[in-house]
């Protein structure tokens, strides 16, 4: 690596790109107009490590984008993307960050309470209303949820637990078998029909977003099975989009440009039930045009407890300690913002650090 670049670049992020993505970048440079889709992962508190990277990518680098750009994610990624689509995205993110860190379940961990608190968080970062999100000049929000079939659609904990056990077994046998219990449901910005993927792996229903269903769609996409209540929309029950699409393994067949994936990990996990299945890999088509940006192992070693935040922190720490740790992680992650700002304006440096995906 060039010595001048080394002196500035702190190695807080790693960048991996698929074969077709590297071809495009070698020919055109890392150009924001090459991005056809931005993907986002489920993962609860893991998003906090991306807080400042999001500002660099969406608030600065993509800020003067010309053509429409679909953002697709599930669960917590859709919360991030809704903030990004606000007229004042940084202010929306600050409200989201503060409300998310401040949530507390020490005294009440019932599903109804957790769902209520999550709805309050959504209200907080959408405090200017839903109109901004659905009228952004170029970002187009796509919210992936999972339409549930019986028994995972049940609000009875015993019945739902049985359904999740069946889902676990089916997924071990073959991920495709999950279509017996779940169907994809994608809520999309009606200004740009989401034809950037055509996968019928789990069936899909595409539903236009409106000011009336946006909050429900966000809550549904983040409603963790068993932990939270499902969300009823027009007589159907929807839960966390990560049940099927944890890391947006969608093939992206109808795209010619890059798939940008700012991610908290260098591993792409197809579904929520695949997290411990190291052998479960994403489609090659998903990886081919993808640019994956994630925190480096070197940087992760410097974090409190040498890890990014996760849901176990609610159990492992009292609220005061957990909140302090999460705030420190966000503060430390500013180096990721600095590193991205550097590589996004230096194609030579980008070429030096990018690795095959």
């Amino acid at each position: 690596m060039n010595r001048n670049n080394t002196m500035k670049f702190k190695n807080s992020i790693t960048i991996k790109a698929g074969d077709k993505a590297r071809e495009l970048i070698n020919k055109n440079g890392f150009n924001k107009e090459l991005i056809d889709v931005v993907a986002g992962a489920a993962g609860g508190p893991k998003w906090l490590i991306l807080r400042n990277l999001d500002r660099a990518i969406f608030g600065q680098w993509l800020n003067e984008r010309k053509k429409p750009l679909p953002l697709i994610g599930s669960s917590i990624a859709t919360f991030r993307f809704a903030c990004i689509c606000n007229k004042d995205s940084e202010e929306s993110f600050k409200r989201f960050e503060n409300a998310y860190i401040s949530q507390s379940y020490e005294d009440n961990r019932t599903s109804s309470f957790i769902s209520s608190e999550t709805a309050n968080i959504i209200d907080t970062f959408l405090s200017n209303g839903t109109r901004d999100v659905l009228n952004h000049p170029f970002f187009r929000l796509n919210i992936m949820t999972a339409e549930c079939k019986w028994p995972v659609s049940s609000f009875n904990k015993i019945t739902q637990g049985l359904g999740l056990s069946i889902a676990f077994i089916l997924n071990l046998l073959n991920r495709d078998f999950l279509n017996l219990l779940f169907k994809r449901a994608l809520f999309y910005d009606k200004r740009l029909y989401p034809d950037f993927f055509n996968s019928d792996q789990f069936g899909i229903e595409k539903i236009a977003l409106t000011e009336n269903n946006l909050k429900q769609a966000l809550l549904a996409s983040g409603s963790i099975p068993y932990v939270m209540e499902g969300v009823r929309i027009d007589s159907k029950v929807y839960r966390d989009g990560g049940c099927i699409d944890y890391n947006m393994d969608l093939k992206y067949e109808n795209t010619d440009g890059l798939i940008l994936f700012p991610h908290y990990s260098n591993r792409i996990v197809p579904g929520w039930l695949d997290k411990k299945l190291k052998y479960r890999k994403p489609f090659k088509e998903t990886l081919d045009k993808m640019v994956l940006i994630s925190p480096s192992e070197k940087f992760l070693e410097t974090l409190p407890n040498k890890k990014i935040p996760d849901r176990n922190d609610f159990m492992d720490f009292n609220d005061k300690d957990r909140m302090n740790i999460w705030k420190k992680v966000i503060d430390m992650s500013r180096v990721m913002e600095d590193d991205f700002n550097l590589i996004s304006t230096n194609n030579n440096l980008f070429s030096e650090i990018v690795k095959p995906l």
Side-chain angles (χ1 to χ4, degrees):
M1 184 179 287
N2 181 283
R3 185 171 181 272
N4 290 331
N5 289 338
T6 306
M7 291 172 64
K8 297 178 181 179
F9 186 68
K10 303 300 183 184
N11 287 302
S12 66
I13 57 177
T14 60
I15 300 178
K16 295 183 178 182
D19 294 342
K20 292 181 181 177
R22 294 199 309 279
E23 288 178 16
L24 279 170
I25 294 168
N26 288 339
K27 182 179 180 180
N28 303 285
F30 187 47
N31 186 333
K32 59 189 168 189
E33 297 298 331
L34 287 177
I35 310 298
D36 273 1
V37 181
V38 179
K46 296 181 179 74
W47 82 273
L48 295 167
I49 194 66
L50 302 175
R51 167 65 173 97
N52 292 300
L53 180 62
D54 278 347
R55 177 167 52 230
I57 293 174
F58 300 101
Q60 299 170 39
W61 187 57
L62 289 173
N63 193 37
E64 296 180 0
R65 165 90 178 197
K66 302 300 181 185
K67 61 183 180 180
L69 179 60
L71 314 175
I72 184 167
S74 61
S75 197
I76 202 68
T78 68
F79 293 15
R80 292 165 50 213
F81 291 165
C83 290
I84 288 161
C85 291
N86 260 278
K87 186 176 293 185
D88 189 341
S89 60
E90 180 59 22
E91 179 59 32
S92 183
F93 254 123
K94 286 179 181 178
R95 293 195 300 268
F96 177 34
E97 175 188 327
N98 291 333
Y100 194 87
I101 290 174
S102 299
Q103 62 185 314
S104 173
Y105 305 108
E106 286 186 340
D107 298 325
N108 191 339
R109 290 177 178 167
T110 62
S111 297
S112 59
F113 182 75
I114 297 173
S115 291
S116 175
E117 285 294 284
T118 304
N120 288 338
I121 292 172
I122 293 171
D123 285 337
T124 298
F125 66 72
L126 290 181
S127 61
N128 291 335
T130 58
R131 187 167 298 176
D132 279 0
V133 176
L134 300 179
N135 287 280
H136 192 276
F138 55 86
F139 287 135
R140 303 291 185 261
L141 180 62
N142 294 266
I143 300 172
M144 189 70 84
T145 70
E147 180 187 326
C148 299
K149 305 173 187 178
W150 192 88
V152 290
S153 62
S154 176
F155 282 65
N156 179 282
K157 280 292 188 72
I158 296 175
T159 305
Q160 187 187 154
L162 172 63
L164 292 173
S165 298
I166 295 170
F168 179 80
I169 295 169
L170 290 174
N171 188 66
L172 279 177
L173 296 173
N174 189 318
R175 175 166 151 77
D176 288 351
F177 291 165
L178 287 178
N179 64 10
L180 297 172
L181 296 173
F182 300 103
K183 177 182 178 181
R184 280 184 174 127
L186 180 65
F187 292 81
Y188 68 94
D189 187 319
K190 60 186 176 183
R191 294 174 297 169
L192 183 66
Y193 188 77
D195 60 356
F196 48 83
F197 77 99
N198 284 327
S199 175
D200 59 358
Q201 187 180 17
F202 300 102
I204 186 164
E205 179 182 9
K206 296 181 179 180
I207 307 157
L209 280 167
T210 68
E211 291 186 45
N212 292 327
N213 68 15
L214 174 59
K215 289 183 180 180
Q216 284 183 302
L218 287 167
L219 182 59
S221 188
S223 292
I224 306 165
Y226 207 77
V227 176
M228 298 170 64
E229 295 181 331
V231 176
R232 290 190 186 276
I233 304 175
D234 296 333
S235 78
K236 296 178 180 178
V237 175
Y238 299 88
R239 299 190 189 277
D240 198 315
C243 292
I244 300 174
D245 295 300
Y246 196 64
N247 288 174
M248 295 297 113
D249 181 22
L250 300 176
K251 292 188 179 179
Y252 305 98
E253 301 99 330
N254 291 339
T255 56
D256 296 317
L258 302 175
I259 312 302
L260 181 64
F261 190 13
H263 193 19
Y264 49 76
S265 170
N266 60 14
R267 179 190 171 211
I268 296 175
V269 180
W272 182 50
L273 296 172
D274 298 323
K275 289 192 289 183
K276 295 185 179 180
L277 305 182
K278 301 297 184 182
Y279 60 83
R280 188 64 54 83
K281 306 294 184 183
F283 293 116
K284 183 182 185 301
E285 295 91 335
T286 297
L287 304 180
D288 272 349
K289 290 172 281 189
M290 182 170 282
V291 177
L292 176 70
I293 305 176
S294 61
S296 67
E297 292 296 330
K298 175 184 176 182
F299 174 59
L300 293 177
E301 285 290 315
T302 69
L303 296 177
N305 305 302
K306 298 184 178 182
K307 73 174 190 68
I308 61 176
D310 58 46
R311 282 200 297 125
N312 290 329
D313 293 349
F314 286 107
M315 306 291 186
D316 295 341
F317 305 101
N318 61 47
D319 277 345
K320 181 180 179 181
D321 289 344
R322 173 185 57 78
M323 292 178 190
N324 286 335
I325 290 170
W326 286 8
K327 289 175 182 177
K328 185 173 183 180
V329 168
I330 291 175
D331 186 59
M332 293 177 69
S333 74
R334 290 183 183 275
V335 68
M336 296 173 64
E337 177 182 9
D338 295 338
D339 274 353
F340 181 83
N341 285 335
L342 183 62
I343 64 165
S344 65
T345 56
N346 188 332
N347 278 316
N348 290 332
L349 177 57
F350 184 94
S351 298
E352 288 180 35
I353 67 171
V354 66
K355 304 297 181 186
L357 179 60

